[in-house]
Amino acid sequence: MRFLARIPHLTAVPLTRMTLAGLVCLLIGCTTARPVFQEVDARQAEIAGFENIRAPLDGEIDSAIRKRFQRTESRVPRQYLAISGGGAGGAFSVGVLKAWSERGDRPTFDLVSGVSTGALIAPFAFLGTKYDLVLEHLYTSGVATELLDRKFIVSGLLGESLYSQKPLREMVERYVDKLLLTEIADEYRKGRNLFVLTTNLDTQRAVLWDMGAIANSPRPDALGLFQNVLIASASIPGVFPAVRINAVVDGRPIVELHSDGGPSAQIMTVPEAVLSNVDLPVPAGARGSDMYLLVNNALMPEFAVTANSTLSVSTRAYSILVKSQTRQSLYAVYEYCRRVGAQFHMATIDVMVPYKISDPFNTEYMRAVFKIGYDRTLNGRLWRDRPTFSTTQ
């Protein structure tokens, strides 16, 4: 009640139902209600004015999702780059990309995909070496600490998220502008692809977004949609609020809720139906292609004495889940590459770097993993040709 007493004149006002309702809104952060819709609506929903720009990752192999991958089949052998989630660990991929550019042997990728922090990196990686300094600034200068604009703790715990989305949105809108969109559209028309993964919280399905197709749209709201998808993919559940994305079903508007792509898949490579179906013919041009997988996490076991508290146990368990999920995905991709004759290249953070969940965008941590990626790339000790997760490389 001490908190309530700080609100001017509150103690002198009878706690009527209306007053209590107002207090509830104050404490939990009332949000605008979404239009009611059913499961069948969610499955049929489209983004108004944008056709064939997304598909469920677990869709059938003859769906639009496969057609998107087939756009690159005329370019053989192909070069794929998949960038995983990992929050501040994204600095590892940024270090790799910068050193790769300096070595002079960084490919022009036919397809780039990103999940979570990888989604924020992917558009710049897609456009090549001229954006290396932008990425280095975003991941090592300390500006990432500005993302944690802490909200009032009661509102954060009971409202939409612990932190405000505003700093993340401002950062995305500053660096992902109309010029960047135009450059991505130019590359898309050359046959190159850029994909980002989000999680539709209503349907519990991963959604693959064709970012090149969005960028190539002449619609004035293309930039806003592009930015929203990136923000959604990078919005860690509970840490940042989910993103509302407007859609339509038979002309009737609904509002979808999208969040971090990481819970669905830590890294986006090949559609699940393609990975699991050994009876499918080898895709044209797959043999001899290269699949590069940048994993912004340490996947080996990392010892730490864990306090028996809600936050410590929960975060520790989630970390274990992420490691396990990512390793299983890498095993599946490795077997797929063996089956179709593609070259498998995997890189992970292979050094235990101190990290505190209470300081998730610590600048020193980000600089340390950036250096690991940078140094491993320059000295030729980065890539592994099979999934191995030891503490040494």
Side-chain angles (χ1 to χ4, degrees), residues 382-393:
L382 179 74
W383 301 109
R384 305 178 192 180
D385 60 5
R386 65 192 61 200
T388 56
F389 310 108
S390 62
T391 57
T392 58
Q393 186 166 330

Side-chain angles (χ1 to χ4, degrees), residues 19-308:
T19 306
L20 288 173
L23 286 176
V24 170
C25 282
L26 174 65
L27 290 173
I28 68 174
C30 290
T31 58
T32 305
R34 293 189 288 155
V36 176
F37 59 95
Q38 307 299 320
E39 181 180 359
V40 64
D41 299 323
R43 290 181 175 274
Q44 297 174 358
E46 296 286 350
I47 308 301
F50 296 88
E51 295 181 356
N52 300 321
I53 51 89
R54 64 178 188 171
L57 188 63
D58 58 356
E60 295 297 327
I61 58 174
D62 58 349
S63 69
I65 193 171
R66 188 176 184 188
K67 295 177 182 178
R68 287 178 172 82
F69 278 83
Q70 289 174 337
R71 266 174 43 88
T72 61
E73 288 191 357
S74 61
R75 302 161 62 93
V76 292
R78 299 190 294 279
Q79 306 289 313
Y80 295 104
L81 174 66
I83 310 172
S84 84
F92 170 74
S93 286
V94 173
V96 170
L97 291 169
K98 183 181 181 184
W100 209 348
S101 297
E102 292 178 7
R103 281 174 54 104
D105 56 354
R106 176 174 159 183
T108 297
F109 298 102
D110 300 288
L111 187 153
V112 176
S113 71
V115 180
S116 196
T117 192
L120 299 180
I121 298 170
F124 302 101
F126 179 76
L127 292 176
T129 61
K130 67 179 180 178
Y131 282 102
D132 288 347
L133 292 180
V134 172
L135 285 174
E136 184 176 5
H137 172 73
L138 290 174
Y139 279 83
T140 66
S141 70
V143 298
T145 60
E146 299 171 7
L147 297 177
L148 302 186
D149 180 15
R150 190 179 297 273
K151 301 165 66 178
F152 181 62
I153 188 65
V154 175
S155 177
L157 289 174
L158 301 179
E160 291 183 338
S161 62
L162 289 175
Y163 299 102
S164 168
Q165 189 185 80
K166 183 179 178 181
L168 175 59
R169 180 169 291 279
E170 288 178 344
M171 184 175 290
V172 169
E173 290 177 349
R174 177 180 178 184
Y175 290 96
V176 179
D177 56 14
K178 188 64 178 178
L179 176 60
L180 191 88
L181 212 67
T182 299
E183 294 183 38
I184 291 171
D186 289 342
E187 296 304 312
Y188 173 80
R189 289 191 291 271
K190 296 176 184 177
R192 300 178 63 214
N193 285 315
L194 173 64
F195 296 127
V196 162
L197 197 71
T198 67
T199 299
N200 185 322
L201 296 176
D202 299 309
T203 63
Q204 292 191 329
R205 300 180 78 183
V207 179
L208 187 68
W209 296 82
D210 189 338
M211 304 302 278
I214 296 173
N216 194 48
S217 170
R219 290 182 57 90
D221 53 348
L223 177 59
L225 177 60
F226 193 100
Q227 293 168 339
N228 273 340
V229 172
L230 292 184
I231 295 167
S233 184
S235 293
I236 304 169
V239 177
F240 297 114
V243 175
R244 294 170 172 238
I245 294 183
N246 296 323
V248 294
V249 180
D250 296 327
R252 177 169 55 89
I254 67 170
V255 179
E256 300 175 345
L257 211 57
H258 287 255
S259 189
D260 187 0
S264 296
Q266 281 295 310
I267 193 162
M268 190 5 249
T269 52
V270 179
E272 294 173 7
V274 177
L275 282 176
S276 61
N277 193 337
V278 297
D279 296 325
L280 285 175
V282 175
R287 191 169 303 279
S289 294
D290 291 282
M291 186 170 290
Y292 295 94
L293 308 158
L294 285 176
V295 181
N296 297 306
N297 273 303
L299 298 183
M300 69 282 190
E302 297 174 284
F303 175 80
V305 176
T306 306
N308 193 11

